[in-house]
Amino acid sequence: MPRRSAEEWIRLSLRTPGILIFGMVLSPCGWILDLTATVAPNWRTLNNIPNTPSTEYIEQGIWDICRTTTSSERKECNLQDTTYFNHEIIEIAQGLMVASLIVTLIGLAVAIPGVRCWRDRPNWLLAGLGGLLIFLSGVMTIIPIAWYTHILNDIASVSPTIDVRVGYCIILGYIGGIFEILAGFVMFIGICRCCGGKNRGERRVDEVMGPRFAQKPPPRPIDVPRLDRPRSIASSVPYSRDSMDDDVSFPRAKSPAVPSANTSYGGRPYDADL
């Protein structure tokens, strides 16, 4: 059976996979919308306030309260309402919205190194971990937004006859939270290869190159001679002195004669011969 390994999957291009592009585009958009919903004082509006002109209404957020008129751009902020700010949902919304903004930035910081498109393949573990953090930040945004909307009319106001309406911060918060949830989920599914590898932009080797490339051919055996094997008689050459003398005769060089002393003429060596 062919060995199953990571080399059976290949990427046809070095482009960043679509799921990572989708997540990296939606995440900053959701963060900007959540930031606007956090700092803007328009979670709900109070209309038809008694003893005030019909053109005036009050905008209430989680950090500030402003009085605005429809006829001009004049806005008076920093209004005090102890009953409103002491409500449980206000404190929870302040903590979760700020935490959501911080977690989104951390998720982007973790995901960006894993989404590097100049490498052969992204670091799916880092990208998936960043996507998980972004997903959690979206959940932390939706919780206070949905809770605030559910008890919109139950939060204490100046008069029970006031017309309470949803502010634009609620709508921006919903959209931003949904963006982050979708972006984080799509990036997280990149950890597991699914849909035939299409989520990663990968395909099997046998689908691209054919079944003959799916398995590497076995290595060719190489016969390495051993030193301890018996030596063949036919291939061995005896190098003995007797055989060399029998087969080939080499002439020997004559050694020079040893000069002898001349003992003639009385044994005097200094007499030269004539």
Side-chain angles (χ1 to χ4, degrees):
M1 295 180 62
R3 185 181 61 181
R4 302 295 182 184
S5 60
E7 284 75 16
E8 293 185 355
W9 297 86
I10 61 173
R11 296 193 63 202
L12 301 181
S13 66
L14 296 180
R15 295 181 298 177
T16 304
I19 58 174
L20 299 183
I21 296 176
F22 182 83
M24 296 303 295
V25 170
L26 282 189
S27 298
C29 295
W31 185 85
I32 294 175
L33 294 176
D34 291 345
L35 178 62
T36 305
T38 302
V39 300
N42 198 321
W43 282 53
R44 72 172 185 172
T45 60
L46 305 179
N47 299 276
N48 300 327
I49 303 174
N51 302 324
T52 59
S54 60
T55 57
E56 289 186 3
Y57 61 94
I58 294 178
E59 298 176 346
Q60 293 180 332
I62 60 176
W63 301 100
D64 198 2
I65 299 177
C66 298
R67 185 187 302 272
T68 309
T69 60
T70 57
S71 59
S72 63
E73 297 296 332
R74 183 176 61 87
K75 180 180 293 188
E76 181 184 357
C77 295
N78 297 326
L79 300 180
Q80 299 298 324
D81 191 346
T82 306
T83 305
Y84 174 81
F85 284 111
N86 288 338
H87 199 278
E88 181 183 10
I89 185 58
I90 302 302
E91 297 178 356
I92 295 176
Q94 290 175 352
L96 287 179
M97 294 300 291
V98 173
S100 174
L101 295 175
I102 297 175
V103 173
T104 303
L105 294 179
I106 296 175
L108 289 174
V110 174
I112 287 175
V115 183
R116 288 184 292 184
C117 57
W118 56 86
R119 300 176 57 182
D120 183 19
R121 60 181 59 191
N123 191 331
W124 293 105
L125 182 60
L126 282 179
L129 181 59
L132 180 61
L133 294 176
I134 295 172
F135 178 85
L136 294 177
S137 68
V139 173
M140 287 189 292
T141 300
I142 295 295
I143 290 176
I145 295 288
W147 191 357
Y148 190 97
T149 306
H150 180 67
I151 62 174
L152 185 67
N153 296 322
D154 298 335
I155 302 176
S157 58
V158 179
S159 174
T161 61
I162 294 177
D163 183 14
V164 180
R165 300 177 184 176
V166 175
Y168 64 85
C169 290
I170 297 294
I171 300 174
L172 296 181
Y174 270 122
I175 298 175
I178 293 174
F179 277 5
E180 292 180 348
I181 289 176
L182 290 177
F185 176 76
V186 170
M187 294 177 65
F188 181 74
I189 63 176
I191 293 182
C192 302
R193 186 183 291 107
C194 60
C195 301
K198 293 181 180 179
N199 62 325
R200 291 188 172 189
E202 299 176 350
R203 295 184 62 183
R204 288 188 177 275
V205 175
D206 53 358
E207 295 179 359
V208 179
M209 301 182 179
R212 62 192 184 94
F213 292 95
Q215 184 181 8
K216 295 181 179 180
R220 187 175 58 182
I222 301 176
D223 188 12
V224 180
R226 295 181 302 176
L227 298 178
D228 56 347
R229 66 178 184 177
R231 186 174 61 181
S232 176
I233 299 177
S235 61
S236 60
V237 180
Y239 294 97
S240 61
R241 184 177 181 87
D242 297 338
S243 61
M244 292 176 61
D245 294 342
D246 295 340
D247 295 341
V248 182
S249 297
F250 295 95
R252 296 193 177 190
K254 295 182 179 180
S255 58
V258 177
S260 59
N262 189 2
T263 56
S264 60
Y265 302 102
R268 291 177 298 182
Y270 49 83
D271 292 335
D273 295 336
L274 298 179

